[in-house]
Amino acid sequence: MKTEQPYLLTPGPITTTQSVKQAMLQDWGSWDADFRAMTARLCQRLVELIDGEGSHVCVPMQGSGTFAVEATLATLVPKEGKLLILMNGAYGQRMGKIMDYLGRDYVALDKGDYAPPRADEVEAMLAADPAITHVALVHCETSSGILNPVEEIAEVVARQGRRLIIDSMSAFGAVAISAKEVAFDALISSANKCFEGVPGFGFVLIRQSALEASKGNAHSLSMDLLDQWQYLAKTGQWRYTPPTHVVAAFLQALKEHAEEGGIAGRHARYQRNQQRLVAGMRQLGFETLLSDEWLSPIIITFFSPGHDSFDFQTFYDRMKARGFIIYPGKLTEAESFRLGCIGQLYDEQIDAVLEAVAAVLEEMGIPDGAPAHVLEAAASA
Ligand SMILES: Cc1ncc(COP(=O)(O)O)c(C=O)c1O
């Protein structure tokens, strides 16, 4: 469904439907039976979406996605535990920062800006360090857009008898994952990414036995997912003030997600957006950071044009004037920017984005999107 506002080509918050926005036009009592039923429906549906009935429970957490990540690490990694963080971008690095704050032990397999962690290297680290109790992986590392190989990592983590925590913030809802096939203790996500809700809470799908065994781990009352879950199980209520309007919007978003064909349907649309966007941008001379094998249907990093007249802020402002909010890059070395494929975007919007990029390049006096390394190679040939 179209909206009249600028389209967000970002990894979230994203462009939502009018009906999701309209679902917020009612006030709810957080203790009321109607709202308790809404929370129960939300949790039940999310557990179903990972085939987690009987093994996993859903614990919602107020705040942005990072709150849910911090709560999960604090609740599941014991004070005497040790975490292996598979880093290849900003969100893996952020988990390291969280562990620093928590004062708990961790090591990192740091692959730099965008190389994927592979099973053999993870297995070698686990075999060499029996103190590691948990492994954390970012499903889609949104800073580059890479879709990390979660299945092969989960397999070695299970083989080595350790516990896996997946930050699937930007992937869950559009990338299928089954708790029956992939062994994980926690999968973390939030309302405002592939489910196309509005921002205000995250949620964690946690193995019930791991959650029950976590007593005493959390360093903080408000971040204790065990306490949150126990209170929810006992009363049907969130422990502290829930974002009621966001929950109402999320239920509408879940309905629309199901109508689109659930995870498979949403994946198909995002994948189509990605392929159309990448093909069109390549025609304009742009290059993707990643080879096709690693591109996610979530967000794509493009190298910035190497032409002297290119300036990201000008490009951004001119794209915005044409109705598209784009996203800066997050690489430490190369100049880049990102275009998201998620949210209320369809062929019509993707084609309009491509037209806008072409028009803005022309306005800026830039012949095409060729990045610096392509221009340098051409000059020295
Ligand atoms: C993979 C991943 N993890 C964590 C986060 C943090 O979420 P938030 O910005 O909502 O705190 C994001 C946000 O984009 C993300 O993409």
Side-chain angles (χ1 to χ4, degrees):
M1 192 198 301
K2 280 181 65 174
T3 77
E4 298 307 319
Q5 295 155 14
Y7 285 95
L8 303 177
L9 283 111
T10 71
I14 40 75
T15 300
T16 59
T17 60
Q18 290 301 331
S19 38
V20 162
K21 289 187 259 288
Q22 269 156 7
M24 290 186 285
L25 297 178
Q26 182 175 339
D27 304 311
W28 301 88
S30 59
W31 40 264
D32 184 73
D34 290 345
F35 187 72
R36 280 184 275 149
M38 285 159 64
T39 300
R41 272 211 313 282
L42 178 158
C43 288
Q44 186 193 346
R45 179 70 185 143
L46 292 173
V47 169
E48 279 168 15
L49 284 171
I50 55 152
D51 295 333
E53 300 99 324
S55 59
H56 290 68
V57 294
C58 173
V59 189
M61 172 54 63
Q62 296 92 330
S64 83
T66 305
F67 291 64
V69 175
E70 183 159 346
T72 305
L73 297 181
T75 303
L76 290 189
V77 182
K79 295 190 173 98
E80 65 287 357
K82 182 170 181 181
L83 181 67
L84 167 59
I85 305 174
L86 309 181
M87 288 180 187
N88 56 347
Y91 297 104
Q93 286 167 7
R94 189 175 297 172
M95 288 200 267
K97 223 179 205 176
I98 290 170
M99 293 302 280
D100 287 336
Y101 268 79
L102 290 174
R104 296 189 196 170
D105 200 10
Y106 71 97
V107 280
L109 170 62
D110 192 346
K111 301 296 303 268
D113 269 353
Y114 56 88
R118 299 313 303 251
D120 53 350
E121 39 190 6
V122 175
E123 184 145 42
M125 286 187 82
L126 293 178
D129 190 349
I132 296 170
T133 52
H134 292 73
V135 177
L137 171 73
V138 181
H139 197 173
C140 171
E141 179 42 91
T142 325
S143 48
S144 66
I146 189 171
L147 198 56
N148 280 321
V150 65
E151 286 85 5
E152 69 174 50
I153 302 292
E155 201 195 316
V156 296
V157 172
R159 192 160 61 230
Q160 289 286 331
R162 319 302 167 87
R163 306 305 193 106
L164 182 64
I165 294 170
I166 305 170
D167 170 355
S168 192
M169 203 68 69
S170 60
F172 185 50
V175 179
I177 185 161
S178 165
K180 300 239 183 304
E181 285 159 21
V182 177
F184 59 84
D185 272 9
L187 180 132
I188 310 159
S189 195
S190 76
N192 60 277
K193 294 192 186 281
C194 298
F195 285 102
E196 302 190 359
V198 302
F201 71 90
F203 54 85
V204 193
L205 298 161
I206 304 196
R207 188 183 296 284
Q208 186 173 337
S209 56
L211 186 58
E212 284 169 347
S214 70
K215 194 164 172 46
N217 287 350
H219 66 304
S220 138
L221 173 66
S222 56
M223 292 269 131
D224 187 353
L225 292 181
L226 175 61
D227 201 43
Q228 178 91 323
W229 175 65
Q230 285 175 330
Y231 189 80
L232 190 63
K234 198 165 75 193
T235 66
Q237 294 171 33
W238 300 48
R239 261 182 322 171
Y240 312 127
T241 303
T244 47
H245 302 80
V246 180
V247 169
F250 192 72
L251 282 173
Q252 177 62 28
L254 276 177
K255 184 165 167 274
E256 293 172 16
H257 182 261
E259 285 163 1
E260 194 172 5
I263 291 174
R266 188 129 307 168
H267 182 270
R269 175 163 61 87
Y270 290 175
Q271 186 75 28
R272 185 179 163 89
N273 286 347
Q274 185 247 75
Q275 285 166 353
R276 208 174 178 91
L277 196 55
V278 167
M281 290 292 280
R282 284 180 177 157
Q283 262 181 7
L284 294 172
F286 286 90
E287 270 194 14
T288 57
L289 167 74
L290 300 170
S291 63
D292 289 2
E293 181 192 1
W294 298 107
L295 288 179
S296 67
I298 312 297
I299 190 162
I300 311 294
T301 298
F302 294 95
F303 290 111
S304 296
H307 193 277
D308 285 346
S309 303
F310 185 79
D311 163 64
F312 177 75
Q313 191 61 50
T314 308
F315 184 63
Y316 179 93
D317 292 341
R318 290 180 184 226
M319 286 297 291
K320 184 174 174 187
R322 288 171 183 271
F324 300 104
I325 306 265
I326 66 167
Y327 217 54
K330 224 173 191 170
L331 303 180
T332 46
E333 283 163 23
E335 288 294 318
S336 63
F337 66 94
R338 290 174 287 173
L339 296 179
C341 312
I342 69 177
Q344 282 296 291
L345 302 173
Y346 297 81
D347 288 358
E348 187 191 338
Q349 286 74 40
I350 300 298
D351 291 348
V353 171
L354 292 167
E355 272 171 37
V357 170
V360 168
L361 284 186
E362 196 175 333
E363 281 168 20
M364 292 174 76
I366 299 172
D368 61 31
H373 61 264
V374 170
L375 296 180
E376 281 156 21
S380 63

